[in-house]
Amino acid sequence: MPVITVTQINKYIGSLLKGDRNIQGAMVKGEISNFVCYPRSGHMYFTLKDAESSLKAVMFANAASRLKFMPEDGMAVICSGSIGVFERDGVYQLYVNDIIPEGQGAAGAALEQLKKKLAKAGLFDSAHKRPIPPMPKKIGAVTSLKGAAVRDIINVLSRRYPIGEIYAVNALVQGDGAPESICRGILRAEQAGCDVIIVGRGGGSSEDLSAFSTEKVAYAVYNCKVPVISAVGHETDVSITDLAADLRAPTPSAAAELAAPDISTFYDRIDSLERRAEKSVYSALDRASDRFIALNARLASQSPENRLKLSGERLDALEKRNIQAFERYTDRLSSQLSEKIARLDSLSPLKVLSRGYSLVYHGDKLIGSSSELAEGDTVQIRFGEGQADAKITGTR
């Protein structure tokens, strides 16, 4: 047997594999692991594995560019391609032409990946959601002007909110150019001064609604400076635009109801406010009347005439009190005087004389002892009634 080189044996094995129709155009099922995509070249390298074995795989850029989703580790897929040998390392691998996610289509996988990407970027955050203005002056509608959605929006708004202006912008809602057309329509409605914008269309298949689940439209809604209400398809359809919008409506008609209030409620509110205003006015008048009466009474009490009258009444009262006090004082003095007169009268010598006693004077001197007199002195004797002169004939 001749001696051959490593390169020769690898090429030989490769030719055997290429000639085997059973492994050319094979459909291989497995789980992706060790996935790597090189941005510069666009080539993808990964390993397909099952419970017992693994198989290296490569997908070159020309085939990878046709994928609608990005493969990820742990994803169960079915890969179509051919088995060949990588001669440099002497290993065989699967050269992949297409990848189909197992259990869902490529479009479904791409949609889920885009949702995760946009959610991570914050496009669905509730903190970014803006409130719908309660009374918008101008309401934008970005949809196909040939479809039923725009007619539903116009009918609802004309009936419920005729005071608002409707600004309808025609846009493609399906097909290859639909995402760009929707983005231009949102920008146009924003620049036209709309206070709120409805973006949507009527029902359809998932493929018909796919324009509203693109990254371009999601960012156009997110970056719009005015609130956006999404109304894509039917109630069961949930697009990425629904997640990025400030408010989601199940149908275009419902979106119109959410965009503006029913004007009849304003009539009821106006009636209620009128009643409240009337009641408030009457209450204010009653309070003002009560205050006026109180102030008038206060003013009357503070007038010079009233104050003079009050002063006169007070003066009369004081005068009466003074008279009464003076009378009580004079009565008290009279009583005291009578008491003292009676007391003085009881102590008067004349009172003593009236009881049979007498006073003896020698000249002006009252004699209190016989030693004060001498024989031959002339004295005056005073009785209770009258007096007499006497001569002293002796003393004892």
Side-chain angles (χ1 to χ4, degrees), residues 61-342:
N62 58 344
S65 64
R66 295 191 295 268
L67 286 179
K68 296 182 178 180
F69 68 99
M70 179 62 69
E72 296 176 348
D73 286 342
M75 184 179 288
V77 297
I78 298 175
C79 297
S80 61
S82 301
I83 303 296
V85 174
F86 183 39
E87 295 179 1
R88 190 196 69 182
D89 295 339
V91 296
Y92 70 92
Q93 58 188 7
L94 177 64
Y95 292 86
V96 180
N97 296 321
D98 193 15
I99 302 176
I100 301 173
E102 188 178 7
Q104 61 177 333
L111 180 61
E112 292 303 316
Q113 285 187 342
L114 182 56
K115 285 181 180 179
K116 292 179 181 179
K117 176 183 176 181
L118 297 179
K120 187 176 180 180
L123 268 71
F124 306 152
D125 289 350
S126 58
H128 181 72
K129 307 297 183 184
R130 293 158 296 190
I132 307 302
M135 293 186 65
K137 296 180 180 179
K138 196 172 188 178
I139 303 167
V142 179
T143 185
S144 172
L145 299 187
K146 298 178 181 179
V150 69
R151 292 195 298 272
D152 293 340
I153 292 172
I154 293 174
N155 290 337
V156 171
L157 289 176
S158 299
R159 172 175 48 85
R160 286 170 50 90
Y161 195 66
I163 62 175
E165 178 185 352
I166 302 173
Y167 185 79
V169 181
N170 187 39
L172 296 175
V173 293
Q174 67 184 68
D176 294 337
E180 292 78 9
S181 179
I182 296 169
C183 293
R184 288 194 300 269
I186 294 173
L187 182 60
R188 182 178 170 186
E190 177 189 326
Q191 293 175 345
C194 292
D195 300 304
V196 61
I197 301 173
I198 299 172
V199 178
R201 56 157 292 163
S205 65
S206 58
E207 184 176 356
D208 293 337
L209 306 179
S210 61
F212 294 91
S213 290
T214 58
E215 187 171 359
K216 289 181 179 179
V217 175
Y219 270 102
V221 171
Y222 180 79
N223 293 323
C224 185
K225 296 179 181 179
V226 298
V228 175
I229 301 176
S230 67
V232 181
H234 301 297
E235 188 170 358
T236 56
D237 300 317
V238 180
S239 65
I240 288 180
T241 298
D242 293 330
L243 302 175
D246 298 285
L247 186 64
R248 177 191 178 244
T251 62
S253 296
E257 293 180 356
L258 294 173
D262 190 345
I263 197 170
S264 62
T265 61
F266 289 101
Y267 296 142
D268 296 336
R269 186 177 179 186
I270 290 172
D271 292 339
S272 175
L273 290 174
E274 284 181 348
R275 290 191 296 270
R276 287 175 58 186
E278 183 178 359
K279 185 177 179 180
S280 298
V281 169
Y282 283 128
S283 297
L285 288 175
D286 290 340
R287 290 193 300 269
S289 178
D290 293 341
R291 187 179 180 189
F292 174 77
I293 293 172
L295 290 175
N296 193 35
R298 184 178 176 185
L299 180 61
S301 67
Q302 298 295 326
S303 65
E305 294 83 357
N306 190 67
R307 295 183 68 179
L308 183 60
K309 179 181 177 182
L310 293 175
S311 297
E313 292 174 352
R314 186 178 180 187
L315 183 60
D316 292 342
L318 289 174
E319 184 178 2
K320 185 176 180 180
R321 288 173 58 188
N322 286 337
I323 293 173
Q324 292 174 349
F326 182 75
E327 289 176 350
R328 289 194 298 269
Y329 179 70
T330 54
D331 289 344
R332 188 168 61 253
L333 290 179
S334 177
S335 176
Q336 291 176 356
L337 181 59
S338 299
E339 182 183 350
K340 289 181 180 180
I341 289 173

Side-chain angles (χ1 to χ4, degrees), residues 14-27 80-85 93-95 97:
S15 64
L16 292 178
L17 293 176
K18 288 181 179 179
D20 190 344
R21 293 184 178 181
N22 293 324
I23 56 176
Q24 302 302 317
M27 304 286 285
S80 61
S82 301
I83 303 296
V85 174
Q93 58 188 7
L94 177 64
Y95 292 86
N97 296 321

Side-chain angles (χ1 to χ4, degrees), residues 341-354:
I341 289 173
R343 186 176 179 187
L344 182 61
D345 185 60
S346 66
L347 297 174
S348 173
L350 298 178
K351 195 72 173 178
V352 176
L353 295 179
S354 66

